[in-house]
Amino acid sequence: MRCSGESSGAEPGFTMRMPRGGLLFLATLLGSLFLLVIYFQNVTKADAGVKTSKRLAGKSRRSPLQTLYNGDQLELLTEQRTLQGRRELLEQACLSHTKKRRVLSPSDLKHLIVDDKHSLIYCYVPKVACTNWKRVMMVLSSDGRYTDPLSIPASEAHVPANLRRMSDLSVSEINQRLRSYLKFLFVREPFERLVSAYRNKFTRNYNTAFHKHYGTKIIRRHRPNPEPEALEKGSDVSFLEFVQYLVDPRTQREDSYNEHWERVQSLCHPCMIHYDVVGKYETLEPDAQAVLKLAGVDRAVQFPTSHKSTRTDGNMAAGFFQHISPFYQKKLFNLYRMDYLLFNYSTPGYLRTR
């Protein structure tokens, strides 16, 4: 026996000639192999073409989340830097000031409105342009039924059935959307929002439901010797009485805050839900435009421009607080302190809390 490197000659008695039938079989085998190679080359090219076309289609149908975090549109860069800075400040504040974590339930998500068509989730905060945002969300999710936000009556925008809410979904549907949709909210200087809520709900004659439900209770608790008519109608609540009601331990123990003066922390849970965009009322129009641009709908719908001449601002809020004692100012600030911290608002200069 020879080792494999010693000789390449044939063994004695073994002929190198292959029978005719064997040659035919070998030719058939080689031909089949060649055809298989050609076939798989074509399949690979076709598959690569499909993947390429999918990638190209993906670029034209980029999700809002992809546009925000992987945007290659130069006009978005300035907005992206601003939005990124707010996200980072919120995350840092959450890490610094919140320790207890809990699992969210679907009932915690009743303020989160979802638009599956454009992969958007919006947490609405009353007194922060939420009526107009609800109108915009109705336009986006209506499949053409609505085209102009301002054509939608405010009362219709606030009908729960007209918008899809995250609290109506299953747990698996909630988790899938929280992972893949762009989530945004709009916030406002907390005391300006509070004064705006008071002005709207307690100084307008048409809000009789609020006067009956909250006004009568506030007057009964915090007004010495109230008149029978005030107890019956609840229509002349003072700002001081409203503040006293908010800081009253009985209110916090027995009543849940109405959404118009509930803290954003409790409405939207910003330390448990990772919001991609934190818009601000103070920069409402450019921030709203940035969200619509991220969603790729800025040419299809415009965020309504406000022309209110009596909008509640810092000067107006200062006028309301000048009649509130430092004792109640401090108590009230402590109630809304987390909203100030989470959204990077400075303590108002008109407060006398020291």
Side-chain angles (χ1 to χ4, degrees), residues 277-333:
V277 175
V278 179
K280 291 200 169 186
Y281 189 76
E282 295 78 12
T283 51
L284 176 60
E285 292 181 14
D287 289 355
Q289 182 68 10
V291 172
L292 296 177
K293 189 181 291 186
L294 287 168
V297 297
D298 52 310
R299 295 183 180 180
V301 62
Q302 293 295 313
F303 189 84
T305 303
S306 175
H307 297 290
K308 288 184 178 179
S309 59
T310 58
R311 176 185 287 186
T312 303
D313 58 15
N315 290 331
M316 187 178 291
F320 277 85
F321 274 91
Q322 69 178 345
H323 302 297
I324 305 299
S325 71
F327 174 79
Y328 283 118
Q329 286 185 10
K330 185 172 184 178
K331 278 183 167 291
L332 193 67
F333 182 78

Tab-separated table of all heavy atoms in Angstrom, residues 277-333:
chain	number	residue	atom	x	y	z
A	277	VAL	N	-40.934	63.560	22.075
A	277	VAL	CA	-41.026	65.004	21.869
A	277	VAL	C	-41.748	65.632	23.048
A	277	VAL	O	-42.841	65.200	23.416
A	277	VAL	CB	-41.785	65.355	20.574
A	277	VAL	CG1	-41.969	66.870	20.452
A	277	VAL	CG2	-41.050	64.811	19.355
A	278	VAL	N	-41.125	66.631	23.654
A	278	VAL	CA	-41.757	67.447	24.696
A	278	VAL	C	-41.913	68.845	24.108
A	278	VAL	O	-40.957	69.614	24.023
A	278	VAL	CB	-40.910	67.488	25.985
A	278	VAL	CG1	-41.587	68.377	27.034
A	278	VAL	CG2	-40.713	66.080	26.544
A	279	GLY	N	-43.115	69.146	23.669
A	279	GLY	CA	-43.390	70.474	23.154
A	279	GLY	C	-43.788	71.406	24.280
A	279	GLY	O	-44.223	70.964	25.336
A	280	LYS	N	-43.645	72.706	24.057
A	280	LYS	CA	-43.984	73.687	25.090
A	280	LYS	C	-44.985	74.710	24.544
A	280	LYS	O	-44.906	75.113	23.380
A	280	LYS	CB	-42.731	74.386	25.613
A	280	LYS	CG	-41.833	73.458	26.424
A	280	LYS	CD	-40.889	74.217	27.332
A	280	LYS	CE	-40.205	73.277	28.327
A	280	LYS	NZ	-39.389	74.007	29.314
A	281	TYR	N	-45.901	75.100	25.396
A	281	TYR	CA	-46.906	76.092	25.047
A	281	TYR	C	-46.249	77.415	24.671
A	281	TYR	O	-46.737	78.141	23.808
A	281	TYR	CB	-47.844	76.279	26.231
A	281	TYR	CG	-49.069	77.106	25.956
A	281	TYR	CD1	-50.152	76.585	25.248
A	281	TYR	CD2	-49.178	78.407	26.435
A	281	TYR	CE1	-51.289	77.333	25.007
A	281	TYR	CE2	-50.311	79.170	26.201
A	281	TYR	CZ	-51.368	78.629	25.487
A	281	TYR	OH	-52.491	79.382	25.260
A	282	GLU	N	-45.136	77.700	25.318
A	282	GLU	CA	-44.424	78.959	25.075
A	282	GLU	C	-43.814	79.017	23.671
A	282	GLU	O	-43.541	80.099	23.154
A	282	GLU	CB	-43.338	79.157	26.139
A	282	GLU	CG	-43.876	79.330	27.558
A	282	GLU	CD	-44.310	78.034	28.222
A	282	GLU	OE1	-43.997	76.935	27.691
A	282	GLU	OE2	-44.972	78.103	29.278
A	283	THR	N	-43.575	77.862	23.074
A	283	THR	CA	-43.069	77.795	21.693
A	283	THR	C	-43.992	76.890	20.884
A	283	THR	O	-43.541	76.031	20.118
A	283	THR	CB	-41.625	77.269	21.670
A	283	THR	OG1	-41.553	76.036	22.432
A	283	THR	CG2	-40.663	78.266	22.282
A	284	LEU	N	-45.288	77.085	21.052
A	284	LEU	CA	-46.299	76.179	20.522
A	284	LEU	C	-46.208	75.991	19.014
A	284	LEU	O	-46.171	74.856	18.519
A	284	LEU	CB	-47.693	76.687	20.909
A	284	LEU	CG	-48.893	75.913	20.360
A	284	LEU	CD1	-48.868	74.474	20.839
A	284	LEU	CD2	-50.195	76.593	20.771
A	285	GLU	N	-46.162	77.084	18.275
A	285	GLU	CA	-46.258	76.958	16.819
A	285	GLU	C	-45.052	76.261	16.194
A	285	GLU	O	-45.225	75.325	15.404
A	285	GLU	CB	-46.517	78.331	16.203
A	285	GLU	CG	-47.910	78.860	16.551
A	285	GLU	CD	-48.203	80.220	15.925
A	285	GLU	OE1	-47.457	80.630	15.019
A	285	GLU	OE2	-49.167	80.863	16.362
A	286	PRO	N	-43.816	76.655	16.523
A	286	PRO	CA	-42.696	75.910	15.919
A	286	PRO	C	-42.607	74.469	16.404
A	286	PRO	O	-42.229	73.572	15.639
A	286	PRO	CB	-41.455	76.716	16.345
A	286	PRO	CG	-41.889	77.563	17.492
A	286	PRO	CD	-43.334	77.827	17.273
A	287	ASP	N	-42.971	74.227	17.664
A	287	ASP	CA	-42.923	72.852	18.177
A	287	ASP	C	-43.988	71.982	17.506
A	287	ASP	O	-43.741	70.820	17.170
A	287	ASP	CB	-43.123	72.838	19.691
A	287	ASP	CG	-41.927	73.399	20.439
A	287	ASP	OD1	-40.907	73.707	19.793
A	287	ASP	OD2	-42.011	73.542	21.677
A	288	ALA	N	-45.176	72.550	17.312
A	288	ALA	CA	-46.236	71.815	16.623
A	288	ALA	C	-45.835	71.513	15.184
A	288	ALA	O	-46.039	70.398	14.677
A	288	ALA	CB	-47.537	72.612	16.661
A	289	GLN	N	-45.235	72.486	14.521
A	289	GLN	CA	-44.771	72.285	13.153
A	289	GLN	C	-43.713	71.195	13.092
A	289	GLN	O	-43.685	70.391	12.149
A	289	GLN	CB	-44.223	73.602	12.588
A	289	GLN	CG	-43.743	73.534	11.149
A	289	GLN	CD	-44.872	73.318	10.149
A	289	GLN	OE1	-46.047	73.403	10.506
A	289	GLN	NE2	-44.527	73.022	8.915
A	290	ALA	N	-42.839	71.134	14.099
A	290	ALA	CA	-41.802	70.097	14.128
A	290	ALA	C	-42.422	68.711	14.236
A	290	ALA	O	-41.978	67.765	13.576
A	290	ALA	CB	-40.845	70.352	15.293
A	291	VAL	N	-43.457	68.559	15.069
A	291	VAL	CA	-44.122	67.264	15.214
A	291	VAL	C	-44.772	66.853	13.896
A	291	VAL	O	-44.646	65.703	13.449
A	291	VAL	CB	-45.178	67.308	16.340
A	291	VAL	CG1	-46.009	66.021	16.362
A	291	VAL	CG2	-44.512	67.508	17.693
A	292	LEU	N	-45.482	67.778	13.266
A	292	LEU	CA	-46.147	67.465	11.998
A	292	LEU	C	-45.131	67.126	10.912
A	292	LEU	O	-45.365	66.263	10.062
A	292	LEU	CB	-47.023	68.640	11.562
A	292	LEU	CG	-48.196	68.981	12.501
A	292	LEU	CD1	-48.946	70.203	11.990
A	292	LEU	CD2	-49.141	67.802	12.658
A	293	LYS	N	-43.980	67.789	10.947
A	293	LYS	CA	-42.922	67.502	9.965
A	293	LYS	C	-42.347	66.110	10.202
A	293	LYS	O	-42.100	65.356	9.257
A	293	LYS	CB	-41.829	68.558	10.059
A	293	LYS	CG	-40.800	68.481	8.940
A	293	LYS	CD	-39.722	69.548	9.087
A	293	LYS	CE	-40.268	70.941	8.853
A	293	LYS	NZ	-39.167	71.952	8.870
A	294	LEU	N	-42.145	65.744	11.457
A	294	LEU	CA	-41.655	64.407	11.776
A	294	LEU	C	-42.624	63.335	11.295
A	294	LEU	O	-42.206	62.261	10.844
A	294	LEU	CB	-41.439	64.270	13.292
A	294	LEU	CG	-40.241	65.007	13.886
A	294	LEU	CD1	-40.322	65.024	15.395
A	294	LEU	CD2	-38.931	64.367	13.428
A	295	ALA	N	-43.919	63.628	11.410
A	295	ALA	CA	-44.936	62.670	10.981
A	295	ALA	C	-45.124	62.667	9.469
A	295	ALA	O	-45.842	61.819	8.930
A	295	ALA	CB	-46.266	62.984	11.666
A	296	GLY	N	-44.485	63.628	8.772
A	296	GLY	CA	-44.601	63.709	7.327
A	296	GLY	C	-45.942	64.225	6.845
A	296	GLY	O	-46.355	63.950	5.719
A	297	VAL	N	-46.630	64.995	7.690
A	297	VAL	CA	-47.967	65.481	7.332
A	297	VAL	C	-48.045	66.998	7.365
A	297	VAL	O	-49.128	67.567	7.349
A	297	VAL	CB	-49.053	64.879	8.264
A	297	VAL	CG1	-49.126	63.367	8.106
A	297	VAL	CG2	-48.788	65.256	9.724
A	298	ASP	N	-46.900	67.670	7.415
A	298	ASP	CA	-46.908	69.129	7.568
A	298	ASP	C	-47.507	69.845	6.355
A	298	ASP	O	-47.941	70.995	6.479
A	298	ASP	CB	-45.496	69.647	7.847
A	298	ASP	CG	-44.479	69.157	6.830
A	298	ASP	OD1	-44.448	67.936	6.574
A	298	ASP	OD2	-43.727	69.984	6.284
A	299	ARG	N	-47.539	69.176	5.217
A	299	ARG	CA	-48.171	69.797	4.052
A	299	ARG	C	-49.655	69.463	3.961
A	299	ARG	O	-50.409	70.133	3.247
A	299	ARG	CB	-47.468	69.353	2.765
A	299	ARG	CG	-46.027	69.847	2.683
A	299	ARG	CD	-45.379	69.468	1.371
A	299	ARG	NE	-44.005	69.947	1.304
A	299	ARG	CZ	-43.194	69.748	0.266
A	299	ARG	NH1	-43.626	69.061	-0.784
A	299	ARG	NH2	-41.960	70.216	0.281
A	300	ALA	N	-50.068	68.415	4.659
A	300	ALA	CA	-51.468	67.983	4.598
A	300	ALA	C	-52.337	68.673	5.641
A	300	ALA	O	-53.536	68.846	5.430
A	300	ALA	CB	-51.548	66.465	4.779
A	301	VAL	N	-51.751	69.048	6.769
A	301	VAL	CA	-52.531	69.676	7.838
A	301	VAL	C	-51.668	70.715	8.536
A	301	VAL	O	-50.469	70.520	8.730
A	301	VAL	CB	-53.043	68.610	8.849
A	301	VAL	CG1	-51.891	67.890	9.524
A	301	VAL	CG2	-53.954	69.232	9.892
A	302	GLN	N	-52.282	71.815	8.899
A	302	GLN	CA	-51.588	72.878	9.616
A	302	GLN	C	-52.146	72.986	11.031
A	302	GLN	O	-53.355	72.888	11.235
A	302	GLN	CB	-51.779	74.219	8.897
A	302	GLN	CG	-51.098	74.283	7.536
A	302	GLN	CD	-49.589	74.206	7.626
A	302	GLN	OE1	-48.970	74.891	8.438
A	302	GLN	NE2	-48.984	73.354	6.806
A	303	PHE	N	-51.257	73.187	11.989
A	303	PHE	CA	-51.723	73.382	13.358
A	303	PHE	C	-52.370	74.768	13.447
A	303	PHE	O	-51.778	75.761	13.000
A	303	PHE	CB	-50.563	73.281	14.352
A	303	PHE	CG	-51.020	73.258	15.781
A	303	PHE	CD1	-51.429	72.078	16.369
A	303	PHE	CD2	-51.067	74.431	16.523
A	303	PHE	CE1	-51.869	72.053	17.682
A	303	PHE	CE2	-51.516	74.414	17.832
A	303	PHE	CZ	-51.921	73.226	18.411
A	304	PRO	N	-53.595	74.860	14.004
A	304	PRO	CA	-54.294	76.155	14.043
A	304	PRO	C	-53.525	77.208	14.833
A	304	PRO	O	-52.997	76.931	15.912
A	304	PRO	CB	-55.625	75.817	14.742
A	304	PRO	CG	-55.799	74.340	14.531
A	304	PRO	CD	-54.417	73.768	14.544
A	305	THR	N	-53.464	78.384	14.294
A	305	THR	CA	-52.805	79.508	14.959
A	305	THR	C	-53.785	80.195	15.899
A	305	THR	O	-54.930	80.454	15.524
A	305	THR	CB	-52.299	80.530	13.931
A	305	THR	OG1	-51.415	79.865	13.030
A	305	THR	CG2	-51.555	81.667	14.606
A	306	SER	N	-53.323	80.475	17.125
A	306	SER	CA	-54.188	81.130	18.106
A	306	SER	C	-54.054	82.642	17.990
A	306	SER	O	-52.962	83.182	17.826
A	306	SER	CB	-53.819	80.691	19.522
A	306	SER	OG	-54.569	81.400	20.479
A	307	HIS	N	-55.194	83.314	18.072
A	307	HIS	CA	-55.187	84.779	18.022
A	307	HIS	C	-55.804	85.374	19.294
A	307	HIS	O	-56.290	86.498	19.292
A	307	HIS	CB	-55.961	85.275	16.795
A	307	HIS	CG	-55.352	84.844	15.498
A	307	HIS	ND1	-54.149	85.342	15.034
A	307	HIS	CD2	-55.771	83.937	14.578
A	307	HIS	CE1	-53.853	84.770	13.873
A	307	HIS	NE2	-54.821	83.921	13.577
A	308	LYS	N	-55.764	84.603	20.380
A	308	LYS	CA	-56.366	85.090	21.621
A	308	LYS	C	-55.594	86.289	22.158
A	308	LYS	O	-54.369	86.248	22.296
A	308	LYS	CB	-56.379	83.983	22.683
A	308	LYS	CG	-57.399	82.878	22.409
A	308	LYS	CD	-57.406	81.873	23.549
A	308	LYS	CE	-58.438	80.785	23.326
A	308	LYS	NZ	-58.423	79.791	24.433
A	309	SER	N	-56.319	87.329	22.479
A	309	SER	CA	-55.677	88.525	23.024
A	309	SER	C	-55.627	88.502	24.547
A	309	SER	O	-54.938	89.310	25.154
A	309	SER	CB	-56.424	89.780	22.552
A	309	SER	OG	-57.778	89.724	22.968
A	310	THR	N	-56.385	87.577	25.145
A	310	THR	CA	-56.435	87.507	26.618
A	310	THR	C	-55.792	86.219	27.129
A	310	THR	O	-56.195	85.685	28.143
A	310	THR	CB	-57.895	87.580	27.105
A	310	THR	OG1	-58.641	86.495	26.500
A	310	THR	CG2	-58.520	88.901	26.730
A	311	ARG	N	-54.821	85.731	26.386
A	311	ARG	CA	-54.125	84.509	26.816
A	311	ARG	C	-53.450	84.726	28.158
A	311	ARG	O	-52.832	85.762	28.387
A	311	ARG	CB	-53.096	84.123	25.753
A	311	ARG	CG	-52.234	82.932	26.127
A	311	ARG	CD	-51.164	82.665	25.095
A	311	ARG	NE	-51.726	82.080	23.881
A	311	ARG	CZ	-50.964	81.647	22.864
A	311	ARG	NH1	-49.645	81.769	22.920
A	311	ARG	NH2	-51.518	81.125	21.798
A	312	THR	N	-53.552	83.735	29.029
A	312	THR	CA	-52.925	83.825	30.351
A	312	THR	C	-51.409	83.734	30.212
A	312	THR	O	-50.879	82.740	29.718
A	312	THR	CB	-53.421	82.689	31.267
A	312	THR	OG1	-54.847	82.742	31.355
A	312	THR	CG2	-52.824	82.831	32.655
A	313	ASP	N	-50.711	84.778	30.648
A	313	ASP	CA	-49.248	84.763	30.615
A	313	ASP	C	-48.702	85.011	32.011
A	313	ASP	O	-49.447	85.040	32.999
A	313	ASP	CB	-48.720	85.802	29.618
A	313	ASP	CG	-49.194	87.217	29.949
A	313	ASP	OD1	-49.691	87.458	31.078
A	313	ASP	OD2	-49.055	88.100	29.085
A	314	GLY	N	-47.387	85.196	32.104
A	314	GLY	CA	-46.756	85.380	33.409
A	314	GLY	C	-47.226	86.614	34.131
A	314	GLY	O	-47.419	86.594	35.354
A	315	ASN	N	-47.419	87.708	33.409
A	315	ASN	CA	-47.875	88.949	34.051
A	315	ASN	C	-49.278	88.787	34.622
A	315	ASN	O	-49.575	89.271	35.723
A	315	ASN	CB	-47.854	90.100	33.036
A	315	ASN	CG	-46.442	90.498	32.659
A	315	ASN	OD1	-45.513	90.351	33.457
A	315	ASN	ND2	-46.271	90.991	31.441
A	316	MET	N	-50.143	88.108	33.884
A	316	MET	CA	-51.492	87.896	34.369
A	316	MET	C	-51.484	86.973	35.588
A	316	MET	O	-52.186	87.207	36.583
A	316	MET	CB	-52.380	87.306	33.273
A	316	MET	CG	-53.851	87.225	33.666
A	316	MET	SD	-54.898	86.576	32.340
A	316	MET	CE	-54.818	87.948	31.176
A	317	ALA	N	-50.674	85.915	35.531
A	317	ALA	CA	-50.576	85.003	36.675
A	317	ALA	C	-50.058	85.739	37.908
A	317	ALA	O	-50.548	85.529	39.033
A	317	ALA	CB	-49.661	83.830	36.329
A	318	ALA	N	-49.096	86.620	37.710
A	318	ALA	CA	-48.553	87.397	38.841
A	318	ALA	C	-49.647	88.222	39.494
A	318	ALA	O	-49.685	88.355	40.733
A	318	ALA	CB	-47.421	88.294	38.357
A	319	GLY	N	-50.546	88.789	38.700
A	319	GLY	CA	-51.647	89.570	39.255
A	319	GLY	C	-52.560	88.732	40.120
A	319	GLY	O	-53.044	89.202	41.171
A	320	PHE	N	-52.809	87.485	39.725
A	320	PHE	CA	-53.654	86.607	40.540
A	320	PHE	C	-52.960	86.214	41.838
A	320	PHE	O	-53.590	86.095	42.885
A	320	PHE	CB	-54.026	85.357	39.738
A	320	PHE	CG	-55.200	85.543	38.822
A	320	PHE	CD1	-55.030	86.072	37.550
A	320	PHE	CD2	-56.480	85.207	39.231
A	320	PHE	CE1	-56.104	86.255	36.709
A	320	PHE	CE2	-57.571	85.378	38.396
A	320	PHE	CZ	-57.383	85.914	37.131
A	321	PHE	N	-51.645	85.999	41.783
A	321	PHE	CA	-50.932	85.510	42.960
A	321	PHE	C	-50.570	86.618	43.950
A	321	PHE	O	-50.182	86.307	45.073
A	321	PHE	CB	-49.668	84.753	42.529
A	321	PHE	CG	-49.921	83.302	42.228
A	321	PHE	CD1	-50.238	82.890	40.938
A	321	PHE	CD2	-49.852	82.353	43.231
A	321	PHE	CE1	-50.485	81.563	40.658
A	321	PHE	CE2	-50.092	81.016	42.969
A	321	PHE	CZ	-50.416	80.611	41.678
A	322	GLN	N	-50.707	87.855	43.564
A	322	GLN	CA	-50.326	88.917	44.498
A	322	GLN	C	-51.254	88.968	45.724
A	322	GLN	O	-50.893	89.520	46.759
A	322	GLN	CB	-50.318	90.267	43.790
A	322	GLN	CG	-51.676	90.792	43.372
A	322	GLN	CD	-51.591	92.154	42.725
A	322	GLN	OE1	-50.562	92.841	42.836
A	322	GLN	NE2	-52.638	92.562	42.027
A	323	HIS	N	-52.417	88.372	45.631
A	323	HIS	CA	-53.351	88.351	46.748
A	323	HIS	C	-53.327	87.028	47.516
A	323	HIS	O	-54.162	86.802	48.387
A	323	HIS	CB	-54.767	88.628	46.253
A	323	HIS	CG	-54.907	89.933	45.528
A	323	HIS	ND1	-54.686	91.152	46.133
A	323	HIS	CD2	-55.222	90.205	44.226
A	323	HIS	CE1	-54.870	92.127	45.251
A	323	HIS	NE2	-55.181	91.577	44.095
A	324	ILE	N	-52.378	86.167	47.152
A	324	ILE	CA	-52.240	84.874	47.831
A	324	ILE	C	-51.075	84.969	48.809
A	324	ILE	O	-49.976	85.387	48.440
A	324	ILE	CB	-51.986	83.734	46.815
A	324	ILE	CG1	-53.081	83.720	45.748
A	324	ILE	CG2	-51.894	82.397	47.524
A	324	ILE	CD1	-54.470	83.486	46.270
A	325	SER	N	-51.299	84.580	50.039
A	325	SER	CA	-50.265	84.713	51.072
A	325	SER	C	-49.097	83.784	50.786
A	325	SER	O	-49.250	82.755	50.118
A	325	SER	CB	-50.846	84.371	52.442
A	325	SER	OG	-51.110	82.968	52.530
A	326	PRO	N	-47.897	84.140	51.288
A	326	PRO	CA	-46.735	83.258	51.113
A	326	PRO	C	-46.990	81.839	51.620
A	326	PRO	O	-46.472	80.875	51.043
A	326	PRO	CB	-45.640	83.952	51.930
A	326	PRO	CG	-46.023	85.396	51.913
A	326	PRO	CD	-47.529	85.407	51.956
A	327	PHE	N	-47.794	81.705	52.670
A	327	PHE	CA	-48.112	80.375	53.227
A	327	PHE	C	-48.776	79.498	52.158
A	327	PHE	O	-48.365	78.347	51.923
A	327	PHE	CB	-49.030	80.538	54.439
A	327	PHE	CG	-49.540	79.231	54.997
A	327	PHE	CD1	-48.738	78.453	55.806
A	327	PHE	CD2	-50.834	78.789	54.700
A	327	PHE	CE1	-49.211	77.241	56.324
A	327	PHE	CE2	-51.310	77.592	55.198
A	327	PHE	CZ	-50.500	76.820	56.010
A	328	TYR	N	-49.797	80.018	51.501
A	328	TYR	CA	-50.498	79.235	50.479
A	328	TYR	C	-49.685	79.136	49.190
A	328	TYR	O	-49.768	78.126	48.470
A	328	TYR	CB	-51.874	79.838	50.201
A	328	TYR	CG	-52.887	79.514	51.275
A	328	TYR	CD1	-53.492	80.516	52.031
A	328	TYR	CD2	-53.239	78.188	51.548
A	328	TYR	CE1	-54.410	80.216	53.028
A	328	TYR	CE2	-54.156	77.872	52.532
A	328	TYR	CZ	-54.738	78.892	53.267
A	328	TYR	OH	-55.646	78.586	54.252
A	329	GLN	N	-48.904	80.152	48.890
A	329	GLN	CA	-48.045	80.074	47.718
A	329	GLN	C	-47.075	78.903	47.839
A	329	GLN	O	-46.864	78.141	46.884
A	329	GLN	CB	-47.269	81.377	47.537
A	329	GLN	CG	-48.094	82.541	47.023
A	329	GLN	CD	-47.241	83.776	46.751
A	329	GLN	OE1	-46.019	83.713	46.775
A	329	GLN	NE2	-47.892	84.906	46.477
A	330	LYS	N	-46.481	78.767	49.014
A	330	LYS	CA	-45.514	77.688	49.221
A	330	LYS	C	-46.173	76.323	49.138
A	330	LYS	O	-45.641	75.387	48.526
A	330	LYS	CB	-44.822	77.872	50.577
A	330	LYS	CG	-43.699	76.859	50.819
A	330	LYS	CD	-42.927	77.196	52.073
A	330	LYS	CE	-41.747	76.251	52.270
A	330	LYS	NZ	-40.945	76.594	53.467
A	331	LYS	N	-47.360	76.200	49.757
A	331	LYS	CA	-48.077	74.927	49.707
A	331	LYS	C	-48.433	74.556	48.267
A	331	LYS	O	-48.286	73.399	47.851
A	331	LYS	CB	-49.354	75.010	50.554
A	331	LYS	CG	-49.143	74.781	52.045
A	331	LYS	CD	-50.466	74.813	52.775
A	331	LYS	CE	-50.316	74.279	54.194
A	331	LYS	NZ	-50.054	72.828	54.221
A	332	LEU	N	-48.875	75.550	47.526
A	332	LEU	CA	-49.265	75.280	46.146
A	332	LEU	C	-48.054	74.935	45.286
A	332	LEU	O	-48.120	74.015	44.453
A	332	LEU	CB	-49.990	76.501	45.577
A	332	LEU	CG	-50.723	76.275	44.257
A	332	LEU	CD1	-51.906	75.337	44.449
A	332	LEU	CD2	-51.208	77.601	43.674
A	333	PHE	N	-46.956	75.643	45.491
A	333	PHE	CA	-45.751	75.343	44.722
A	333	PHE	C	-45.275	73.924	44.994
A	333	PHE	O	-44.839	73.212	44.068
A	333	PHE	CB	-44.640	76.337	45.032
A	333	PHE	CG	-43.393	76.097	44.210
A	333	PHE	CD1	-43.326	76.509	42.895
A	333	PHE	CD2	-42.300	75.436	44.755
A	333	PHE	CE1	-42.189	76.273	42.121
A	333	PHE	CE2	-41.165	75.198	43.997
A	333	PHE	CZ	-41.109	75.617	42.678
